[in-house]
Amino acid sequence: MKYSAQYFIKQLNLAEHSEGGYYVSSFRASDNIAVRDVQRPIYTSIYFLLRSQDISHLHRLQSDELWYYHAGGPLTVHMIFPDGTYEAKKLGLNVGAGEVPQIAVPKNTIFGSSVEESDTFSLVGCMVAPGFDFEDFELFTQEELLADYPQHEEVIRKMAYKKIM
């Protein structure tokens, strides 16, 4: 059976995400840990789906995030590290072609994702540790990022909002 993006959106009850794509919370640790003077779950996890016509816009978290490939086409994760270097990693199962089934995005890394193949989607899992909180989520505009990282203009123009809605 060939699954579609709409199939997973419906079956997993995915909702639109502010950064782009669709998501639903799937797991949340029952144990907490103190993070910056507040209690957070040790980890949280979501299902995340991105269609080829969507962009997961450039954003930053204050926690590490692990990405796991589940279904569909490969997903490219674009990362601008705190030292200003850029790297794109492809999440998928064709390891012979350089894809990997899981990757880690270190905390304080600016990142977003895209599906390069047309007319497809990618379903992944994302686990954040310590657990995700929207207080630790920063979404960026092209103008903000170009001021600090002009050397990455092409990816910034593709992956960042022109202005935050």
Side-chain angles (χ1 to χ4, degrees):
M1 174 181 216
K2 184 165 167 64
Y3 297 105
S4 67
Q6 197 54 43
Y7 170 83
F8 286 113
I9 290 168
K10 182 178 179 190
Q11 295 298 318
L12 296 174
N13 207 21
L14 303 178
E16 288 188 44
H17 197 296
S18 60
E19 79 192 42
Y22 298 82
Y23 81 108
V24 69
S25 179
S26 54
F27 295 100
R28 183 180 196 86
S30 57
D31 293 329
N32 289 328
I33 187 170
V35 178
R36 294 177 294 280
D37 298 325
V38 296
Q39 290 293 308
R40 297 275 173 82
I42 292 173
Y43 68 86
T44 57
S45 186
I46 63 169
Y47 287 118
F48 182 69
L49 184 140
L50 200 62
R51 301 171 304 172
S52 54
Q53 66 265 36
D54 301 325
I55 294 287
S56 168
H57 292 87
L58 291 171
H59 60 286
R60 179 170 48 203
L61 301 179
Q62 292 181 28
S63 297
D64 294 340
E65 184 168 46
L66 298 172
W67 289 60
Y68 303 94
Y69 175 82
H70 292 308
L75 179 86
T76 302
V77 179
H78 305 267
M79 296 176 280
I80 301 173
F81 295 97
D83 69 359
T85 60
Y86 168 79
E87 183 178 11
K89 286 195 174 180
K90 213 166 239 196
L91 199 58
L93 297 180
N94 190 350
V95 294
E99 296 173 9
V100 292
Q102 63 184 28
I103 65 161
V105 176
K107 68 181 180 180
N108 298 318
T109 298
I110 296 168
F111 67 103
S113 57
S114 60
V115 176
E116 305 300 324
E117 295 177 12
S118 60
D119 297 325
T120 191
F121 69 94
S122 188
L123 175 67
V124 299
C126 302
M127 186 184 82
V128 177
F132 177 81
D133 189 298
F134 270 105
E135 285 247 342
D136 296 342
F137 176 84
E138 297 174 85
L139 199 54
F140 295 97
T141 64
Q142 291 176 5
E143 183 180 5
E144 291 170 318
L145 292 175
L146 288 170
D148 292 332
Y149 307 103
Q151 70 274 30
H152 304 306
E153 181 176 4
E154 185 178 343
V155 73
I156 289 169
R157 292 215 183 274
K158 175 185 175 186
M159 302 296 302
Y161 280 113
K162 288 184 181 177
K163 61 181 181 176
I164 303 295
M165 308 298 161

